[in-house]
Amino acid sequence: MSTATTDKNQTGTAPGGPAGSGVNFLRVLKSEWIKVTTVPSTVILLAVTVVVMIGLASLAAWGTAQLASDSAPAAGASASAVPGEEGATAPAVPEGATAPAVPEGATAPAEQTAPGVDTQAGPPAADSLVRDIPASGLFFGQLLIASLGVVLIASEWGTGMIRSTFSAVPKRTPALLAKNLIIAVVSFVVGAGAAFISYLIARPILGTADLSLSLGDEGVLASILNTGTCLALIAVFAMAIGTLLRNTAGGVVTAIGIIFVLPLVVQIVSGLADWIPDAARFLPSNAGAQLVSAGPIADGDLTQLQGGLVLAAWAAVLLVASLVATKRRDV
């Protein structure tokens, strides 16, 4: 009797618990989402990123409108001014009279413009800047998102919270992938959302100078979406650095150094060898700039697709390295 009872109790308390319990990737994702959204500093930093990106884009729109407005009178004056006489205009032809005939074999005199007036300046130059305005806050967005990506993972190593995370998820890899996926999605929404709001604000500002901006313009919609893509890849890139270094200050300095300082150093030493400018195209910041560019592509520059692939390669390589290092090292 006692044997049967014991066997029954053992059967009822078999390992594994009720069906559907245990750790799975969706539950890990939910856990990481709670970590991100319940920390006030993270939410504030994301809000600041959106506000500043929109503010910079608004300033860019205002500056472009001013450029168009200031250059329009100069362009109009160049057609009426006479060389050598400031403010003078060409003599009008009396009503009913005809312009002097040009002798046979001679050519008509070239159109005169005022000295020092650039006939190529003005609205055409402003038009070339309009399509890049929604993504003009990307530089500051990269700075904050890169810092956030490092802090979210390196702070867990610093406080020891990572031990609790890996105790709940012993395989470690799902936890890190969940962290990267959460920060990537959040960064994409922040980047694309800020760029779209910037587009909505920029339209009426540009309209004051008779400049137009539409989602149907070539490259504009892609630039808005790619602003989010760029920030998502930068977030993964920075989080991988934070995972490898396990130090908040060191990770932030390293990430910002690679993204912002290294291109400046390369530009300074670019005259030392011909291959340096070519190699500079593949730096994360330069590739990201090409990813969001909506304007014409200069000779030798990467296309939008190529820039995205290069930045994705940086993020993927560092992500794999961080996963391997985390699996092999002690907590």
Side-chain angles (χ1 to χ4, degrees), residues 159-208:
T159 60
M161 186 183 295
I162 197 70
R163 296 188 182 91
S164 300
T165 300
F166 289 158
S167 295
V169 190
K171 293 183 178 180
R172 300 187 181 184
T173 298
L176 289 181
L177 290 178
K179 290 178 183 292
N180 280 273
L181 181 57
I182 291 295
I183 188 60
V185 171
V186 170
S187 300
F188 176 84
V189 172
V190 166
F196 182 71
I197 297 174
S198 299
Y199 157 80
L200 295 177
I201 295 177
R203 291 191 67 186
I205 297 176
L206 295 171
T208 61

Side-chain angles (χ1 to χ4, degrees), residues 72-99:
S78 65
S80 58
V82 177
E85 299 184 15
E86 183 178 357
T89 60
V93 178
E95 184 178 357
T98 59

Side-chain angles (χ1 to χ4, degrees), residues 39 66 70 78 80 86 107 118 137 150-153 157 161 167 173 184 200 221 232 236 302 316 323:
V39 178
Q66 287 295 111
D70 294 344
S78 65
S80 58
E86 183 178 357
T107 58
D118 185 4
V150 172
V151 169
L152 285 179
I153 184 64
W157 293 99
M161 186 183 295
S167 295
T173 298
L200 295 177
L221 181 58
V236 174
L302 300 176
L323 294 176

Side-chain angles (χ1 to χ4, degrees), residues 191-292:
F196 182 71
I197 297 174
S198 299
Y199 157 80
L200 295 177
I201 295 177
R203 291 191 67 186
I205 297 176
L206 295 171
T208 61
D210 295 327
L211 296 173
S212 63
L213 177 63
S214 171
L215 290 178
D217 294 342
E218 182 181 0
V220 173
L221 181 58
S223 177
I224 291 174
L225 295 176
N226 286 339
T227 301
T229 302
C230 181
L231 289 188
L233 293 174
I234 288 293
V236 174
F237 170 88
M239 181 166 280
I241 291 177
T243 305
L244 290 169
L245 298 183
R246 301 185 178 187
N247 181 274
T248 301
V252 170
V253 170
T254 302
I256 292 178
I258 295 175
I259 297 172
F260 299 105
V261 179
L262 185 58
L264 297 178
V265 175
V266 171
Q267 186 175 4
I268 293 173
V269 302
S270 60
L272 299 179
D274 294 336
W275 60 267
I276 296 180
D278 294 333
R281 299 178 301 163
F282 300 97
L283 293 176
S285 57
N286 294 340
Q290 291 303 119
L291 174 60
V292 303

